[in-house]
Amino acid sequence: MAQKIKLSTIAESLGLSTATISLALRDSPLVASDTREKIKEQARALGYIYNRRAASLRTSRSGIIGVVVHDIMNPFYGEILKAIETELDRNRQTFILSNHYDSVEKQRNFIETLLQLGGDGVIMSPAIGTPIEDVRLAETNGMPLILVARSMEGTALPTYRGDDSYGISLATNHLIGLGHKTIAMIGGTDQTSTGRDRYQGYVNALRKAGIEVDPELRIPGPRSMQGGFEAAVNFLSLPQKPTAAVCWNDLVAIGLMNGIARTGLVVGQDISVTGYDDLEQASIAVPALTTVSNQQAEVGRLAARALLDRLAGSHEPDGIHLIKPEMRIRQSTGPHRPRA
Amino acid sequence: MAQKIKLSTIAESLGLSTATISLALRDSPLVASDTREKIKEQARALGYIYNRRAASLRTSRSGIIGVVVHDIMNPFYGEILKAIETELDRNRQTFILSNHYDSVEKQRNFIETLLQLGGDGVIMSPAIGTPIEDVRLAETNGMPLILVARSMEGTALPTYRGDDSYGISLATNHLIGLGHKTIAMIGGTDQTSTGRDRYQGYVNALRKAGIEVDPELRIPGPRSMQGGFEAAVNFLSLPQKPTAAVCWNDLVAIGLMNGIARTGLVVGQDISVTGYDDLEQASIAVPALTTVSNQQAEVGRLAARALLDRLAGSHEPDGIHLIKPEMRIRQSTGPHRPRA
DNA sequence: AAACGGAATTAAATTGTTTTAATAATTTAA
DNA sequence: TTAAATTATTAAAACAATTTAATTCCGTTT
């Protein structure tokens, strides 16, 4: 409970001014190197703690960057966040994390809080239905904004995400190549750009192969393991008797596989299933999941880099940057075999 | 890029002083209610943004609470975090989240950053080997600290976690009750309090049942799905031919089950497996996982509550608060059947 | 000895809010 | 009417740093 140590405490104890202390602690060449050392030593000895809010009040730079995504517990975002964290850490920026759970209001609250704290910038995966004003709010207050994983219509904001349409077409083509003709698409929503892109990729691949698109084979649903698990029953009782499923993501795929396994059918033989994302869990699942690597780490890294560059003054052109996904073939897919 | 709107901007535009504006915006009864309304309206119209760092410089309250755990991507912590988030949100506190990945240095950096930002308090799940000075650092600078999920020897800090010893003994007793005698314990470490407690619970249950404890049956390892998956081979080739495994947590258990399934053995019949935590995934796994609910949500909520209460001035007694876990019996465990 | 130049240090203004004590304006009581 | 009490508003001093322009202190050079 000793009184707070501040610049002036150090200054007085050494018979110097706060200006000198401030400069010295930030390694300014303006102060003689031996004084500098003496000051740093004293700061350490006294247990001085730099007061960022006082500093940032003066400099209007806080070193805080906000990151808001749908759900940090979702491993897909988790991997992106890890990459962002690494990149920001390396540049000694503090980051504040939040979920918006697709609530526009929660997202706006976050942006407001960040503005109040003097945040230097935001990386966000916009909530479904994000109004353009919320983006403006950040911008007009001088807080640059980068989008990640999802894009937003009607803005020219710098955006980093996987090429979903291409990625899903990879998975679909893989199944077509194995002889499957009745391929369902499980999970997810059409309310996000990602959703529309993924569905489009699936449709495109089928069309190109001359397979007719049957809207009944699209089973939307939660993007979670639970969602996939619950979709299994619907999927298996479709009158079209699909022999393969393209899933929204790995979580849905694993849930679906578990659901199918409960009925005694063998995934990879009776039914083929593909995932999306290539989470850590994908290679461990039983059977090991054929999926598409969405390059989360790269997406996150690029987004963070883009923000840091912008803060450093460089002004790269805005626009959507699509990262190319890659196919990972494992045991959950196999040659077509008609269903009983 | 219009100039910053601050209290004085509003003050001038209305011919009042900043003092009045400041008071009005915070609903002080000192200012007449019609002036108050006029001021709020004007603030809205001008797009005023409250500058928290200026305010907190004056009040030395920032509204920021730090939370640092081993790994936010780990669903176990995820569920705790979600509960903390809910509770803090409700009290309009901003929270800053970080992983320490059991690096004492990363953890200390976090504490320091938080101090610099004027954080009001910290909730942490201490990294393995956290030195007492790091805790003192927070305390001597007036930042109260609450431990969650793990405890720390030699401190009387308020701590909220599950009763691990009791929880694991529930699982072990369940297996003993099914007739199993050779029960391995898979995953985790003995370097944390949690680790020691869990091992103790296992040992106690065996002893009480008159079963000799064989240290060879303890296979420590990473607390991840991958860890469990890789432990499967070791587990199955133990000369003692265990028929059951108590796993560190659900992730390890699911990994282990997957590993076992790859060899053709059937979990729940040939081998019984228990998890710990009762994650969402547990009930979906194939077979559905018998596990122990660690009451994460309750643990997180209580920890957040404790911190908020402390910040509000109440001084509840310190010490460890153990939350009682509960058994969830599903299909991954079954009656003893000797191995070939 | 005066003038100069460079290096090291500092005075003082600034950042945007909160708060206390003081003042001004209004109402009530005597 | 005046004094007292109440209500509304504000001046000015914090809070802890940064930064610019000014100052002091040297040793050199003329």
Side-chain angles (χ1 to χ4, degrees):
Chain A
M1 218 9 103
Q3 89 298 350
K4 272 258 147 58
I5 309 296
K6 36 187 169 169
L7 287 191
S8 67
T9 320
I10 305 178
E12 279 159 27
S13 82
L14 290 176
L16 290 168
S17 76
T18 61
T20 311
I21 312 294
S22 172
L23 292 168
L25 290 179
R26 283 172 303 136
D27 286 318
S28 161
L30 286 183
V31 22
S33 61
D34 49 342
T35 348
R36 203 156 62 202
E37 279 320 307
K38 207 178 306 170
I39 290 173
K40 286 187 164 184
E41 179 46 37
Q42 180 75 276
R44 216 182 339 262
L46 293 176
Y48 170 69
I49 287 184
Y50 179 67
N51 188 326
R52 279 220 229 177
R53 40 213 216 288
S56 93
L57 185 56
R58 180 63 228 260
T59 60
S60 58
R61 266 299 200 111
S62 65
I64 294 179
I65 284 179
V67 182
V68 56
V69 300
H70 175 267
D71 183 2
I72 59 173
M73 265 178 73
N74 179 318
F76 169 71
Y77 289 111
E79 294 186 7
I80 292 181
L81 292 177
K82 206 162 259 184
I84 293 179
E85 181 188 24
T86 307
E87 195 64 28
L88 293 184
D89 256 18
R90 187 177 296 150
N91 292 70
R92 35 199 77 266
Q93 299 278 353
T94 303
F95 81 140
I96 296 194
L97 209 50
S98 188
N99 303 114
H100 55 56
Y101 303 119
D102 272 324
S103 148
V104 168
E105 199 198 333
K106 218 167 173 318
Q107 181 179 261
R108 184 173 37 243
N109 278 341
F110 178 76
I111 295 178
E112 252 160 34
T113 302
L114 205 57
L115 283 171
Q116 295 182 353
L117 292 173
D120 292 340
V122 206
I123 299 176
M124 72 182 219
S125 179
I128 293 175
T130 301
I132 200 100
E133 303 96 77
D134 290 357
V135 167
R136 290 249 176 70
L137 177 62
E139 282 178 331
T140 65
N141 287 90
M143 194 165 69
L145 206 141
I146 305 274
L147 301 188
V148 72
R150 291 181 183 173
S151 32
M152 231 181 111
E153 331 276 275
T155 70
L157 290 170
T159 304
Y160 292 81
R161 61 179 185 83
D163 188 340
D164 293 290
S165 165
Y166 173 77
I168 283 286
S169 75
L170 284 179
T172 314
N173 284 334
H174 166 70
L175 292 169
I176 294 171
L178 287 168
H180 296 277
K181 301 217 150 45
T182 318
I183 303 173
M185 182 171 181
I186 314 286
T189 164
D190 296 337
Q191 294 181 272
T192 58
S193 64
T194 312
R196 288 182 294 273
D197 286 352
R198 291 201 182 169
Y199 185 61
Q200 210 39 249
Y202 160 81
V203 167
N204 289 345
L206 291 179
R207 291 237 173 90
K208 197 172 285 178
I211 300 175
E212 206 184 329
V213 177
D214 179 352
E216 304 255 308
L217 291 175
R218 169 90 186 94
I219 307 180
R223 301 177 286 259
S224 62
M225 226 180 260
Q226 188 71 42
F229 186 74
E230 283 163 5
V233 180
N234 280 340
F235 169 73
L236 291 174
S237 56
L238 281 173
Q240 295 90 337
K241 294 198 182 289
T243 58
V246 170
C247 293
W248 172 273
N249 64 18
D250 288 354
L251 295 178
V252 170
I254 292 173
L256 183 75
M257 292 203 300
N258 289 350
I260 293 173
R262 289 262 173 106
T263 70
L265 287 171
V266 179
V267 173
Q269 294 179 22
D270 303 316
I271 302 278
S272 286
V273 172
T274 65
Y276 203 96
D277 291 346
D278 193 24
L279 303 181
E280 198 200 350
Q281 314 174 38
S283 58
I284 297 175
V286 179
L289 182 65
T290 294
T291 188
V292 178
S293 162
N294 204 13
Q295 316 278 57
Q296 284 86 268
E298 188 64 3
V299 169
R301 199 183 62 78
L302 289 174
R305 210 39 278 154
L307 182 54
L308 290 169
D309 288 348
R310 192 144 310 215
L311 292 179
S314 109
H315 208 72
E316 232 200 299
D318 294 342
I320 299 187
H321 303 255
L322 292 180
I323 286 85
K324 278 267 172 282
E326 283 170 18
M327 200 66 207
R328 301 271 187 268
I329 297 171
R330 302 204 181 93
Q331 279 75 56
S332 68
T333 50
H336 171 72
R337 180 195 295 189
R339 277 173 63 194
Chain B
M1 212 22 94
Q3 90 297 349
K4 270 256 146 58
I5 310 298
K6 35 187 170 171
L7 287 189
S8 67
T9 320
I10 304 177
E12 279 159 27
S13 82
L14 290 176
L16 290 168
S17 76
T18 62
T20 311
I21 313 294
S22 171
L23 291 167
L25 291 179
R26 283 171 302 137
D27 287 316
S28 161
L30 287 183
V31 23
S33 62
D34 49 342
T35 350
R36 203 156 62 201
E37 279 319 307
K38 207 179 305 170
I39 289 174
K40 286 186 164 186
E41 179 47 36
Q42 180 76 282
R44 217 181 341 263
L46 292 177
Y48 169 70
I49 287 183
Y50 180 65
N51 187 327
R52 277 220 229 177
R53 39 212 216 290
S56 93
L57 183 57
R58 179 63 228 256
T59 60
S60 57
R61 267 299 201 112
S62 64
I64 294 178
I65 283 178
V67 182
V68 56
V69 300
H70 175 267
D71 183 2
I72 59 172
M73 266 179 71
N74 179 318
F76 168 71
Y77 289 110
E79 294 186 8
I80 291 182
L81 292 178
K82 205 162 260 183
I84 293 178
E85 180 189 23
T86 307
E87 195 64 28
L88 293 185
D89 256 18
R90 186 177 295 150
N91 293 70
R92 37 198 79 266
Q93 299 278 352
T94 304
F95 81 141
I96 297 192
L97 208 51
S98 188
N99 303 116
H100 55 54
Y101 303 119
D102 273 324
S103 148
V104 168
E105 199 199 332
K106 218 166 173 317
Q107 182 180 261
R108 183 172 39 241
N109 277 341
F110 179 75
I111 295 178
E112 252 160 36
T113 302
L114 205 57
L115 284 170
Q116 295 182 353
L117 291 172
D120 292 341
V122 206
I123 299 177
M124 72 181 217
S125 179
I128 293 175
T130 301
I132 200 97
E133 303 96 76
D134 290 358
V135 167
R136 291 248 175 71
L137 177 62
E139 282 179 331
T140 66
N141 287 89
M143 193 165 70
L145 206 141
I146 304 273
L147 300 189
V148 72
R150 290 181 184 173
S151 33
M152 230 181 110
E153 331 275 277
T155 69
L157 290 170
T159 304
Y160 293 81
R161 61 180 184 81
D163 188 340
D164 293 291
S165 165
Y166 173 78
I168 282 285
S169 75
L170 285 180
T172 314
N173 284 334
H174 166 70
L175 291 170
I176 294 171
L178 288 167
H180 296 276
K181 300 216 151 47
T182 317
I183 303 173
M185 181 170 183
I186 314 287
T189 164
D190 296 337
Q191 295 180 271
T192 58
S193 65
T194 313
R196 289 182 293 272
D197 286 353
R198 292 202 181 167
Y199 186 61
Q200 209 39 248
Y202 161 81
V203 166
N204 289 347
L206 291 179
R207 290 238 175 91
K208 196 172 284 175
I211 300 175
E212 206 185 329
V213 177
D214 179 352
E216 304 256 307
L217 291 176
R218 170 89 186 94
I219 307 181
R223 300 176 287 257
S224 61
M225 225 180 260
Q226 188 72 43
F229 187 74
E230 283 164 5
V233 179
N234 280 339
F235 168 73
L236 291 174
S237 56
L238 281 173
Q240 295 90 336
K241 294 196 183 292
T243 59
V246 170
C247 293
W248 173 272
N249 63 18
D250 287 355
L251 296 179
V252 169
I254 293 173
L256 183 75
M257 292 202 299
N258 290 350
I260 293 172
R262 289 263 172 107
T263 71
L265 288 170
V266 179
V267 173
Q269 294 178 21
D270 302 315
I271 303 279
S272 287
V273 173
T274 65
Y276 203 95
D277 292 344
D278 193 23
L279 302 180
E280 195 201 353
Q281 315 175 36
S283 57
I284 297 175
V286 179
L289 182 65
T290 294
T291 187
V292 178
S293 162
N294 204 15
Q295 316 277 58
Q296 284 84 270
E298 189 63 2
V299 169
R301 199 183 62 78
L302 289 174
R305 210 41 275 154
L307 182 54
L308 290 169
D309 288 348
R310 192 143 311 216
L311 291 179
S314 109
H315 208 72
E316 233 201 299
D318 294 342
I320 300 186
H321 303 254
L322 292 180
I323 286 87
K324 279 267 173 283
E326 283 171 16
M327 199 66 207
R328 301 272 186 268
I329 297 170
R330 302 204 181 92
Q331 279 74 55
S332 67
T333 49
H336 171 71
R337 179 195 296 190
R339 276 174 63 193

